[in-house]
Amino acid sequence: MVAFAFFSCEKDLPTYYEFQGYEFASVDPTGGNWKPILINSGADISLPTPSAPGSPAYLQEIEDLKEQVARMTEVETKAVTYWTQNPIIRWNEIALELVAKYNLIPGPNPDGSYTLPNPANPNGPPAFPFAHPPYAVRALAYLSVAQFDGLISAWHHKFAFNRDAPFVQDPSIKATYVGNIIPSYPSDGAVVASVSRQILTQMFPLEAEYLAEREAEHLRCLLLSGANVQSDIDAGRTIGQAISGIALARAASDGMRNAQAPKPVSDSIAQAALDRFGWEWINRELPQRPVGLTPLYGKVRMWSVDNVEQTRPIPPPAIGSPEYLADVAILKDFAANVTQERRRIANFWQDGLGTYTPPGHWNEFAKEFIVKYRLNPLRSARTFAYLNMAMMDGGISCWDAKYYYHYPRPIQVIDGFTTIAGTPNFPAYTSGHSVFSAAGAEVLAYIFPSEAQLVRGWAEEAAISRVYGGIHWTFDATVGTAQGIDVAGYTIEVARNDGAD
């Protein structure tokens, strides 16, 4: 069904698929009745009644389309093959590519001070954004939720107006893919192109020109594929623009702009933990940045959870307690016995700088399952939306725990201890990899139940990988896994009630 093309090492950039045939397992004619996330229903965004197939206006669109297809170049033919099978996958690949490109720690100034990336001055230095895991999963969540809502609206209008695709109306039009026959008005591809360009431009402002080029190419390919006339595309863009505005309005007020707190706030958080528990995390990276990564990310608005405190885990073991000392012994044993398999696991799940981060890793898994089970664009968007909502909520819950408990990492409190996986710039408890992975695995297990055992096994491996690397305590991983499962349950409850099952 599909051939694979690896443009780089899998963990550095996303894997690109070359589709050889992709007939949807279903077209979901009632998908327009599903419950969206940002809007109340698919009918919220209105569209004008399209021209009837036999009308002069529509017949002229058909003639214009045929003229364009007749002049299609070899380069355009390849582009059509790339874009028009499942555009959700294509834009997710682009998003992961940008995450990896911008997942670089801003360096120190010549005087040793640090300047934070600033969305008001994206050119910097340093360039905006630093696409660390909390930033990456938020970008992926807004992208996929907007795509999902936009396609619910598109499906609503498609099956309300029920205008056949041009290649169905006129058999002389050579269609790229004839196996997937769904109404053409509005164009679902145009919804995805418009939404994706606008959301990603907001998240990665230095890529505005590149993203505009990708959108223009995508929109032209929808016409050249024989699946849409221009009015289909224009209507799809109308939906995309409306949904993007709603999504970006939410993003502007979700609290992310305050997540990277200044040093006095960061210091007060550390002092509160010291007063409360008698310990504090101290950064051991070199060179040392003055504050931890996004101390107030735990206060960002969640998607499916009303109050982050309801997902806060139990306290970690007290320093010096029997449970703590037992974990010290475990970590010392792992450090003294770094087997080839443990190193392989630690490296595979590293997902560090220059990669698409742990949430991006789970987006890659989702993409593979989407292709395997031949999901249509609407169901593909639903998969990514719930996956990234759950992982973002999991990340918020995890960061709340990290800075509430402010627990030291092993390298800080075990004399002579070293790691094989670097030193992250934020507290230990709980493990972000564990929470992201468990939340992602639970959503994928729900949507693809036959893969449940596989993905849950991956989540367990991701969790223990951070212990093998010396970065985390075992309780960071085990409690983080339970935390991710707990948080994902809220998102899965939303999914169970959206009408898709």
Side-chain angles (χ1 to χ4, degrees), residues 260-315:
Q260 189 58 60
K263 190 175 187 300
V265 174
S266 182
D267 289 346
S268 69
I269 293 171
Q271 185 62 49
L274 184 61
D275 294 341
R276 188 182 298 120
F277 302 111
W279 64 65
E280 64 174 325
W281 163 75
I282 298 173
N283 187 9
R284 294 299 192 202
E285 67 174 355
L286 293 174
Q288 186 182 90
R289 283 167 287 172
V291 296
L293 181 69
T294 57
L296 298 182
Y297 187 65
K299 297 186 180 301
V300 171
R301 181 181 175 189
M302 303 173 86
W303 291 97
S304 306
V305 181
D306 293 330
N307 186 339
V308 69
E309 292 184 14
Q310 70 194 73
T311 66
R312 185 179 292 164
I314 61 173

Side-chain angles (χ1 to χ4, degrees), residues 9 26 54 91 143 229 336 349 358 420 425 439:
C9 294
S26 65
W91 282 100
L143 171 67
V229 293
W349 293 100
I420 63 172
N425 183 35

Side-chain angles (χ1 to χ4, degrees), residues 92-167:
N92 183 266
E93 289 170 343
I94 290 170
L96 295 186
E97 177 185 82
L98 295 180
V99 167
K101 179 178 179 179
Y102 285 87
N103 183 16
L104 297 173
I105 295 175
N109 299 317
D111 62 0
S113 64
Y114 280 83
T115 302
L116 295 175
N118 183 359
N121 180 30
N123 286 292
F128 177 87
F130 167 25
H132 47 70
Y135 189 92
V137 75
R138 176 176 175 268
L140 292 167
Y142 277 102
L143 171 67
S144 52
V145 167
Q147 290 173 337
F148 181 44
D149 277 23
L151 289 186
I152 290 176
S153 181
W155 248 249
H156 167 80
H157 292 294
K158 279 178 180 293
F159 289 92
F161 293 120
N162 210 30
R163 188 166 82 175
D164 285 334
F167 69 83

Side-chain angles (χ1 to χ4, degrees), residues 25 37 56 97 154 186 194 214 218 227 254 306 389 406 456 470 485 499:
I37 307 299
E97 177 185 82
S194 177
R214 300 302 273 167
H218 186 184
D254 70 357
D306 293 330
M389 286 166 60
H406 225 266
R456 286 172 175 148
I485 293 170

Side-chain angles (χ1 to χ4, degrees), residues 134 255 292 348 378 463 490:
F348 179 78
L378 176 60
Y490 292 88

Side-chain angles (χ1 to χ4, degrees), residues 329-344:
I330 292 172
L331 265 65
K332 285 183 174 180
D333 178 69
F334 283 156
N337 298 281
V338 182
T339 66
Q340 184 174 354
E341 176 63 4
R342 288 173 181 171
R343 186 179 292 276
R344 181 197 68 79

